[in-house]
Amino acid sequence: MSESVSDIAVFVACADSGQLSNAARSLGITLAVASAALKRLEAQLGTRLILRTTRSLRLSAEGERYLPHARAALDALSAGRLALSRDDGVLQGLVRITAPADFGRNRLAGWLDDFAQQHPQVQFQVTLDDAVADFFAAPVDLALRYGVLTDSSLIALPLARLVRVTCAAPAYVARRGAPEHPRELIAHETLCYMRQHRAADRWAFQRGEDASEVTVTPRWTFNDAEMVRRWALRGRGIAYRIWADVAEDVAAGRLQRVLPQWIGEAVPLSLVYTERRLSPVLRTLIDFLSGRRAELQACQPA
């Protein structure tokens, strides 16, 4: 292997930042050194990896194919350094985590804070994003994801099945009343979350053996789940949210259950990772988060 590790690191940093100057700054090198590293790597590989413009850069088709392998090489070396630097079981290193926005704020943040207190030499890079992260194109070590995993190259460790409920602010219920059956939601102002550029407007419910599904016409639609929650708190409509994300608001009286006898659809939540990235830090963190299963299972609507 003739490629330099430092040259590969420049390439990956460029892919992450989108600008050569930002990549150089993040690595603590000059722009000239970074530019020379890219040219040297491309010459050794015999192909153009990055297409440059005056203001930005983008990966070529060859660069897109090479990127996941470059990341894997850097990750393997990083894991090796961590293994050698461990001192009496002290964990060190950076963990890059992504999670749904609401769950990240309401649950994961507190869990990570507890973990950080136990392991003060571990660093965290946390991305709260409802979009599904691409492990092979983005710098991600661990993801929390809703739904069923379809990528067979990833490992999914189930944490819980979380249910959705309908809720609204007391001010909204006082102004508009509360529906008694899911079909009555059609006549109400509703707040929807947008998935893949489309409003999630089909709300499913279960009450014992009875099932009901309704397509609402949202007054407000957001691509940010936190905005749905905030608009519900403002009394702007009825929201269909995962119970774990609104349980504290209901307990505090800021929101109240609507259609309390009806339970919304269940959504699986999993820890997702790739086997090649199980560094000592990541393995310990996965075990730690897995230990929160009981807390999640207990957080179910009455």
Side-chain angles (χ1 to χ4, degrees), residues 6-249:
S6 58
D7 293 352
I8 295 174
V10 170
F11 166 68
V12 172
C14 286
D16 290 341
S17 66
Q19 289 188 331
L20 186 59
S21 57
N22 290 342
R25 191 177 304 112
S26 68
L27 295 172
I29 60 178
T30 66
L31 183 59
V33 169
S35 179
L38 274 182
K39 292 178 181 177
R40 186 165 51 244
L41 181 61
E42 290 177 331
Q44 290 169 337
L45 294 174
T47 187
R48 178 68 65 86
L49 298 175
I50 288 180
L51 305 176
R52 303 166 181 80
T53 66
T54 55
R55 293 188 176 181
S56 63
L57 53 82
R58 64 182 178 87
L59 298 184
S60 66
E62 292 77 13
E64 293 282 1
R65 290 199 298 270
Y66 184 67
L67 180 60
H69 302 287
R71 289 196 195 283
L74 295 179
D75 286 344
L77 290 171
S78 177
R81 286 194 298 271
L82 284 173
L84 292 175
S85 65
R86 292 181 64 189
D87 181 17
D88 297 328
V90 175
L91 295 179
Q92 305 176 51
L94 173 69
V95 180
R96 299 161 297 189
I97 307 170
T98 181
D102 269 14
F103 189 87
R105 296 185 184 99
N106 299 325
R107 296 283 169 178
L108 180 62
W111 295 349
L112 293 181
D113 188 41
D114 291 343
F115 186 86
Q117 298 296 324
Q118 298 176 27
H119 305 286
Q121 295 189 48
V122 176
Q123 292 123 4
F124 301 87
Q125 180 178 305
V126 183
T127 301
L128 300 183
D129 194 338
D130 294 324
V132 176
D134 185 341
F135 277 76
F136 301 100
V140 177
D141 299 310
L142 179 66
L144 283 87
R145 287 184 181 171
Y146 291 130
V148 178
L149 184 66
T150 58
D151 189 340
S152 61
S153 67
L154 299 175
I155 299 170
L157 184 63
L159 281 183
R161 289 182 64 82
L162 305 178
V163 299
R164 300 185 190 276
V165 300
T166 39
C167 56
Y172 176 86
V173 176
R175 185 176 80 252
R176 293 291 308 274
E180 297 183 0
H181 191 278
R183 61 176 171 265
E184 297 177 15
L185 288 166
I186 296 174
H188 279 265
E189 296 179 31
T190 51
L191 311 170
C192 280
Y193 170 66
M194 187 181 299
R195 296 195 194 112
Q196 297 179 340
H197 309 291
R198 185 185 181 280
D201 55 5
R202 295 174 67 86
W203 296 2
F205 297 90
Q206 193 80 28
R207 183 182 62 181
E209 298 298 320
D210 296 333
S212 180
E213 185 174 289
V214 60
T215 300
V216 301
T217 302
R219 176 79 186 278
W220 298 87
T221 303
F222 300 97
N223 69 342
D224 181 355
E226 174 63 14
M227 288 298 292
V228 175
R229 172 180 168 272
R230 290 189 182 189
W231 247 240
L233 291 171
R234 286 170 174 253
R236 296 296 185 260
I238 298 175
Y240 184 63
R241 300 300 304 142
I242 289 176
W243 172 248
D245 292 337
V246 297
E248 292 184 3
D249 291 319

